[in-house]
Amino acid sequence: MKYEILHRPSFSLLEVELENGEAVQAEAGAMVHMSPNVRIETKARGGVFGALKRSILTKESFFINLFRAEGGKGLIGLAPPYMGDIKAFELDGTLYAQSGAFLASSEGVNIDTKWGGARSFFGREGLFLLKMTGRGTVFLSSFGAIYRKELHNERFVIDTGHMVAFSEGLNFRIKRVGGLKSTLFSGEGLVAEFEGTGTLYIQTRSMDSFLSWLIPYLPKKD
């Protein structure tokens, strides 16, 4: 699959060049532009029950769009709904991602939902993860830029709102920072503590932190 990521890292746009008959699956609403010979097929991701599970338990859409070039090469542009970066992953196995991070992938990549642990219930992030398996290219989006952290049989702690994805070989647990008072008033709250050998992908901004900063400035009803 030929692709190019433009205008990164703040306002990234993914352009995919499709060969005749080739397809890319993308999150509903992600299409920015496309060639006139690209056909759109909308379907429930993983069947009705699988799509319903992901729609209820994660931030992902119930539907997914499949864009296929017919009668020659086609071009499609895709973008997430928020400011930030897009990163391509060449998948041959399994990759886990924060719900809401999926943008697009090769047609053969399977996307499922993984339980993130009961303690995740106390925070909006991390309750459920996306589990992507198979072989192909996966495109994930972030709020802010994406950077990677390699772990070699070690532990590492990140704020749950900054996690984008992680590879196989890493286990994690969700825990509070300090005591209950710290969780409620410090502005930090819950963190994910990773352990093992693998790669973490982290975003430089947190959507929850941004909204906490923005909401007090919004006009209020009289």
Side-chain angles (χ1 to χ4, degrees):
M1 178 180 292
K2 295 181 181 178
Y3 64 86
E4 186 176 8
I5 301 174
L6 308 170
H7 314 302
R8 62 193 315 184
S10 298
F11 299 97
S12 299
L13 171 74
L14 169 66
E15 281 196 337
V16 180
E17 183 180 313
L18 300 172
E19 297 293 332
N20 184 34
E22 189 177 23
V24 61
Q25 56 183 358
E27 188 69 5
M31 192 273 288
V32 177
H33 62 255
M34 66 180 185
S35 302
N37 66 314
V38 174
R39 180 174 59 86
I40 308 174
E41 177 187 344
T42 302
K43 60 181 182 179
R45 182 173 11 210
V48 173
F49 292 108
L52 183 61
K53 179 179 70 172
R54 277 183 292 278
S55 179
I56 293 174
L57 302 181
T58 74
K59 301 172 186 175
E60 305 299 320
S61 170
F62 181 91
F63 296 103
I64 191 167
N65 289 327
L66 190 69
F67 299 89
R68 189 181 305 279
E70 294 184 343
K73 291 184 178 181
L75 183 70
I76 180 161
L78 303 165
Y82 42 77
M83 299 174 290
D85 204 359
I86 298 170
K87 183 170 179 60
F89 297 82
E90 297 304 325
L91 185 65
D92 188 8
T94 302
L95 179 71
Y96 297 97
Q98 183 67 281
S99 61
F102 176 80
L103 177 64
S105 75
S106 304
E107 185 177 5
V109 173
N110 181 62
I111 306 165
D112 204 351
T113 305
K114 175 181 169 63
W115 171 240
R119 295 195 65 179
S120 303
F121 178 77
F122 297 102
R124 284 199 295 169
E125 315 103 331
L127 177 57
F128 289 92
L129 298 170
L130 296 180
K131 180 181 180 182
M132 292 159 287
T133 56
R135 212 168 171 185
T137 307
V138 174
F139 301 96
L140 300 182
S141 61
S142 68
F143 187 55
I146 298 176
Y147 65 99
R148 57 189 289 166
K149 172 68 177 178
E150 299 287 348
L151 299 184
H152 302 280
N153 195 26
E154 56 186 314
R155 294 192 299 173
F156 193 71
V157 177
I158 66 172
D159 184 281
T160 54
H162 288 268
M163 185 178 74
V164 178
F166 59 95
S167 64
E168 287 186 290
L170 292 176
N171 296 311
F172 77 97
R173 64 190 183 104
I174 303 294
K175 64 179 187 178
R176 291 200 304 262
V177 176
L180 180 61
K181 183 178 179 181
S182 297
T183 300
L184 294 177
F185 301 111
S186 70
E188 295 304 322
L190 297 173
V191 297
E193 183 177 70
F194 286 86
E195 184 173 11
T197 298
T199 307
L200 274 171
Y201 297 91
I202 307 167
Q203 61 186 13
T204 58
R205 297 292 184 269
S206 165
M207 185 68 74
D208 278 355
S209 296
F210 174 69
L211 291 175
S212 296
W213 171 83
L214 178 64
I215 288 173
Y217 294 94
L218 296 178
K220 296 179 174 62
K221 292 182 179 181
D222 294 333

